[in-house]
Amino acid sequence: MWNRPDVDFIQSQDVPWQAVAEGGFGAAQGGRRRLLSRDAGTGAETAIHRLTGRHSGVLDSAVDMFVIGGEGLLDGEPLRVGDYVYAKAGAALDLVASARGLTIYCGFWGPPGFVPGTGSGEPLLRIATEREPWVPAGWSGEVPLEPGAMSKVLRSDDTVFVYLAGMMPGWKSPMEEAHPQYEESFKIYGDVLMGPLGVIRTGGYFFRSPHVFHGPLYSRGGTMSFIRSDAAPTTEYRAPGPGGAWDELSATAYVD
């Protein structure tokens, strides 16, 4: 799952749509995907899937899904933007996209196979994230964060920590930071200055190995991201080098 090349960062809009091979999740009705990263050893992959029509079958691998566009039905119940679903391997899904389609960010824990069958009967975890409360972010440890960094924990066990991270407009973290955990992030909306790398915007994606420094961070318009780590995130900090202060970088990074 975590043994994949670092991607730091890409805009998913720049990744071409691909047809999904027969037997893969989203293949029915001409479904398409944008492949963002892949673990060549396990076949685990992260992709954006654009679904039309009906997709009914059994999953080869567990998957974390977040609805980023359109709407539909999952097992007869409404599925809307902002909904999070976790399905275990062997679970059966009956997904029906609305007439305007359904776009889902999908993080598979193995090969994204999807074949006919009745499934294992494993229940799905479903969360309408807009109804969940924000709580102050806890990833900085004893280092105080500027007010305005918030999170919503969606799923946590001994293999993963899945959460939403949000920052208010104008929020900043002036130090460079690194985490001893893997970190995979998809920008649901907004903007974040990622230090000298530039500004990651809506649709942006990165996958980082542990201990990779990034930042300082700054969000001009506010932001929210869907993030998976292999454990609850903790952070180490260091001062940026000459010319690397957030205000110096943002003065040019936000110029179109």
Side-chain angles (χ1 to χ4, degrees), residues 223-243:
T223 184
M224 184 169 76
S225 300
F226 178 89
I227 303 176
R228 296 193 298 174
S229 294
D230 59 327
T234 57
T235 308
E236 54 184 305
Y237 294 94
R238 71 183 185 190

Side-chain angles (χ1 to χ4, degrees), residues 51-222:
L51 308 180
T52 58
R54 188 171 191 167
H55 299 254
S56 186
V58 178
L59 293 164
D60 282 352
S61 305
V63 62
D64 294 292
M65 302 193 296
F66 190 89
V67 181
I68 58 176
E71 60 186 8
L73 298 175
L74 173 59
D75 297 337
E77 297 294 326
L79 191 64
R80 300 185 176 94
V81 169
D83 286 355
Y84 166 72
V85 177
Y86 170 66
K88 296 180 179 180
L93 301 180
D94 184 29
L95 271 168
V96 182
S98 72
R100 64 191 186 100
L102 180 65
T103 306
I104 308 177
Y105 173 82
C106 297
F108 285 91
W109 288 80
F114 193 63
V115 296
T118 57
S120 62
E122 286 280 359
L124 308 179
L125 171 63
R126 299 181 57 153
I127 300 175
T129 66
E130 290 184 349
R131 300 178 183 176
E132 298 299 306
W134 289 103
V135 299
W139 56 72
S140 64
E142 296 181 358
V143 177
L145 285 174
E146 182 174 301
M150 310 294 284
S151 67
K152 298 183 183 187
V153 178
L154 305 179
R155 186 168 75 88
S156 177
D157 58 30
D158 58 357
T159 62
V160 74
F161 191 83
V162 183
Y163 63 108
L164 297 178
M167 290 84 174
M168 293 287 289
W171 181 87
K172 61 185 178 295
S173 181
M175 303 289 280
E176 293 182 352
E177 61 183 57
H179 314 288
Q181 299 83 24
Y182 286 95
E183 184 183 22
E184 181 184 50
S185 175
F186 180 78
K187 184 68 59 195
I188 298 167
Y189 68 77
D191 67 273
V192 170
L193 172 70
M194 304 292 289
L197 290 173
V199 178
I200 182 170
R201 303 180 187 273
T202 301
Y205 171 84
F206 65 77
F207 181 93
R208 288 199 198 105
S209 300
H211 306 293
V212 175
F213 273 93
H214 50 283
L217 308 179
Y218 166 68
S219 179
R220 178 164 291 178

